[in-house]
């Protein structure tokens, strides 16, 4: 359990009652202070507070005497109160009315649903005076949102910030048996006040929504940016640049999604070269668990000594569980895909040699049709992701050379392969040749020093042998070699 932290008290959800000044003053200024819309805003209420204080019993009380003496004392008391107000104003304006909350980062373990695989984090504000603890969560989305799935497909999805009691958050993640880790930040009073006011503003309905980007603007990067904002950019200065990690956006996506292997493979196929650049710690913070580690290593300046000290002043578990483990590394698809690609190519060649038999001929025709139909469908999806959406991670995908929309043109060619006397003509051979050469370009492009490097060797190993085998079959059948027809 996190040392020094506790769950909110039973009355923690109720907001603190506004201060009404000293004693039971019934002055007009007391009423103005109470109903002022800025009564919770630090220095903005300093003048009204001081004026009320100058008229309170502590600043003198009206004498019961009457006549000139009473009038004289009233004027004197008023002038004294005004003088006290002027003298105290600079001092009072620098002192916050309420103690700002402590600020922590909560990190949550990955979950079992696919959108939970990447973990989660949020900011926690604890009001030590009232016991209220509020979690600010940037990871809220709504399936009922207008055009949700269309916006998702176009890369224009809206997420939003939500504030909820810590108790509710703990109940949710404990019910899912996902660990919860708290890191309390060593922020000074001004920084804690600034981040609290920013989050309160950001949580307002008119400010809560933001344009979601999985790599650049998600729940974790928003937490990172809010902290960096109050630190004046010092967090980014520490995490940006420097030594790059071997991790990339692609490797982290496939690593964390690997428990759902088909989804991990599909995401790997759809991502282009822009996600293959090595990450510094600033960019790596799109993963909540990576941000947790970076915060542990970050430093801030001590306002009293000027020396650096750890940004995390205290940390520990709010809930421990090891049921759901974070995958250690991304799956290596190269060798399984190479073996599958070679076996598939050999199967095509063997079926071609035995196509005199109806079973072999039909199987070969179906294999060709399915391969090119699948290639064209995936190619159209990847092309649409590049040209029609804001999913920048899908742009310039070199797998388009392997799964090419032009494969649609090969479907009519292979639709005739059910006939025993099938002999592809020059046009059919030309179509299949172009498709195969484009697939070969996916590997040749690796030799160009200026070409963007995409980590798609596994897909080349899987698909290029099949392209080559299907092209060889069409070429040989087109030439009418009897050895192939037997």
């Amino acid at each position: 359990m996190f040392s020094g932290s506790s769950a909110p008290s039973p009355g923690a959800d109720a907001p603190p009652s506004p201060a009404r000044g000293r004693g039971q003053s019934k002055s007009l200024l007391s009423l103005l202070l109470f109903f002022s819309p800025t009564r919770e805003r630090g220095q903005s209420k300093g003048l009204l507070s001081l004026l009320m204080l100058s008229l309170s019993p502590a600043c003198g009380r009206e004498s019961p005497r009457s006549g000139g003496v009473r009038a004289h004392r009233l004027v004197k008391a008023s002038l004294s109160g005004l003088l006290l107000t002027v003298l105290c104003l600079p001092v009072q304006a620098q002192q916050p009315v309420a103690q700002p909350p402590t600020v922590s980062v909560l990190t949550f373990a990955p979950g079992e649903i696919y959108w939970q695989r990447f973990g989660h984090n949020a900011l926690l504000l604890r009001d030590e005076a009232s016991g209220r603890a509020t979690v600010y969560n940037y990871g809220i989305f709504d399936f009922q949102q207008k055009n949700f799935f269309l916006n998702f497909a176009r890369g224009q999805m809206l997420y939003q910030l939500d504030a909820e009691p810590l108790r509710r958050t703990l109940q949710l993640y404990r019910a899912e048996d996902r660990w919860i880790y708290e890191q309390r930040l060593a922020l000074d009073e001004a920084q804690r006040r600034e981040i609290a006011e920013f989050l309160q503003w950001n949580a307002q309905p008119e400010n809560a929504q933001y344009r979601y980007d999985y790599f650049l603007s998600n729940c974790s990067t928003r937490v990172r940016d809010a902290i960096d904002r109050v630190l004046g950019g010092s967090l980014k200065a520490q995490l940006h640049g420097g030594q790059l990690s071997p991790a990339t956006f692609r490797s982290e996506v496939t690593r964390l999604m690997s428990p759902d292997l088909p989804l991990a493979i599909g995401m790997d196929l759809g991502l282009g070269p822009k996600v293959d650049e090595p990450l510094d710690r600033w960019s790596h913070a799109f993963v909540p668990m990576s941000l947790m580690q970076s915060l542990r290593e970050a430093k801030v300046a001590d306002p009293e000594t000027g020396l650096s000290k750890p940004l995390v002043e205290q940390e520990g578990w709010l809930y421990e569980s090891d049921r759901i483990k974070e995958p250690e590394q991304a799956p290596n698809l190269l060798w399984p895909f190479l073996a599958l690609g070679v076996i598939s190519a050999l199967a095509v060649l063997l079926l071609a040699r035995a196509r005199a038999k109806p079973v072999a001929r039909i199987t070969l025709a179906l294999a060709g049709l399915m391969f090119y139909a699948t290639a064209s469908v995936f190619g159209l999806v990847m092309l649409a992701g590049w040209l029609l959406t804001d999913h920048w991670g899908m742009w310039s995908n070199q797998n388009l050379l392997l799964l090419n929309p032009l494969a649609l043109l090969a479907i009519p060619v292979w639709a005739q392969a059910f006939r025993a006397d099938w002999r592809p003509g020059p046009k059919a051979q030309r179509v299949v040749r172009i498709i195969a050469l484009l697939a070969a370009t996916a590997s040749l492009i690796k030799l160009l020093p200026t070409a963007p490097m995409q980590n798609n060797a596994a897909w080349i190993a899987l698909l290029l042998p099949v392209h080559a085998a299907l092209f060889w079959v069409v070429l040989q059948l087109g030439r009418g070699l009897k050895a192939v027809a037997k």
Side-chain angles (χ1 to χ4, degrees), residues 231-380:
L231 292 177
S234 67
L235 181 62
K236 184 174 184 179
Q238 296 177 66
L239 303 184
H240 185 62
Q243 185 175 3
L244 301 178
S245 73
T248 65
F249 286 132
R250 182 191 302 276
S251 68
E252 289 296 81
V253 166
T254 53
R255 174 179 72 88
L256 293 167
M257 189 58 79
S258 60
D260 296 312
L261 190 57
L263 283 177
I265 293 174
M267 295 179 76
D268 182 59
L269 174 64
L271 292 172
K274 292 182 179 294
V275 302
D276 286 315
E277 299 175 2
L279 300 177
D280 59 17
R281 290 187 297 165
W282 177 259
S283 299
H284 203 181
F286 87 103
V287 177
M289 291 75 73
S290 297
L291 177 60
M292 180 177 72
Q293 180 61 33
S294 293
L295 292 177
R296 184 176 290 133
E297 299 168 358
K299 305 291 183 181
V300 290
D302 190 316
E304 297 182 358
T305 64
L307 301 176
S308 63
K309 63 179 182 179
L311 173 59
V312 176
E313 63 181 6
Q314 198 173 7
E315 59 182 314
W317 298 102
L318 291 184
Y319 178 70
E320 270 190 276
S321 173
D322 58 358
R323 185 177 68 86
I324 303 175
K325 297 185 181 297
E326 178 184 349
E328 295 184 1
Q329 60 185 8
N332 185 356
L333 301 176
L334 177 60
W335 299 112
F337 274 24
L338 177 60
L340 183 58
V342 171
I343 291 172
S344 299
L346 290 175
V348 167
L349 297 178
L350 290 174
L351 288 171
R353 292 187 64 86
R355 73 179 300 272
K357 299 178 181 180
V359 174
R361 184 170 61 252
I362 293 173
T363 303
L364 176 64
L366 288 174
L369 281 174
M370 290 179 60
F371 179 80
Y372 286 112
T374 302
S376 60
V377 169
F378 278 98
L380 288 171

Side-chain angles (χ1 to χ4, degrees), residues 41 100-101 103 125 187-202 225-232:
R41 292 283 190 179
V103 180
L125 269 55
L187 303 179
D188 61 34
E189 189 171 303
Q191 292 167 338
R192 288 185 282 123
R193 185 182 301 281
E194 180 182 352
I195 200 169
E197 291 181 351
F198 170 73
L199 291 173
Q200 290 171 5
W201 170 86
N202 202 180
D225 294 347
I227 298 170
D228 184 60
R229 182 177 182 271
V230 300
L231 292 177

Side-chain angles (χ1 to χ4, degrees), residues 61 70 80 89 129 175 182 189 261 304-305 339 360 392-393 397 405 414 424 446 453 461 481-482:
R61 182 170 301 190
R70 184 168 181 260
S80 299
L89 181 58
E182 178 177 359
E189 189 171 303
L261 190 57
E304 297 182 358
T305 64
W392 60 269
N397 192 340
W414 278 89
K446 308 293 184 188
M453 289 296 102
L481 293 179
K482 295 182 180 179

Side-chain angles (χ1 to χ4, degrees), residues 18-27 30-31 33-34 49 52-59 61:
R20 285 165 168 75
R22 300 184 181 181
Q24 299 295 325
S25 173
K26 298 180 180 179
S27 67
S30 297
L31 294 174
L33 176 63
F34 179 69
S49 300
M52 187 183 72
L53 180 64
S54 70
L55 297 178
S56 70
C59 293
R61 182 170 301 190

Side-chain angles (χ1 to χ4, degrees), residues 94-162:
Q94 294 174 6
Q95 296 179 354
V97 176
Q99 185 72 13
T102 62
V103 180
S104 298
V105 174
L106 298 181
T107 306
F108 308 96
E112 294 182 322
I113 306 175
Y114 61 90
W115 68 72
Q116 299 174 343
R117 290 295 184 188
F118 308 98
H120 188 48
N121 57 13
L123 286 162
L124 169 64
L125 269 55
R126 293 181 184 269
D127 188 334
E128 301 292 348
S130 67
R132 181 170 62 179
T134 305
V135 175
Y136 289 87
N137 177 7
Y138 280 100
I140 301 301
F141 63 92
D142 183 8
F143 283 120
Q144 304 302 318
Q145 186 183 88
K146 183 179 180 181
N147 298 326
F148 176 86
F149 291 102
L150 177 61
N151 289 334
F152 173 78
R154 296 168 60 191
Q156 299 176 1
M157 194 159 59
L158 295 177
Y159 270 49
Q160 67 182 43
L161 172 64
D162 182 57

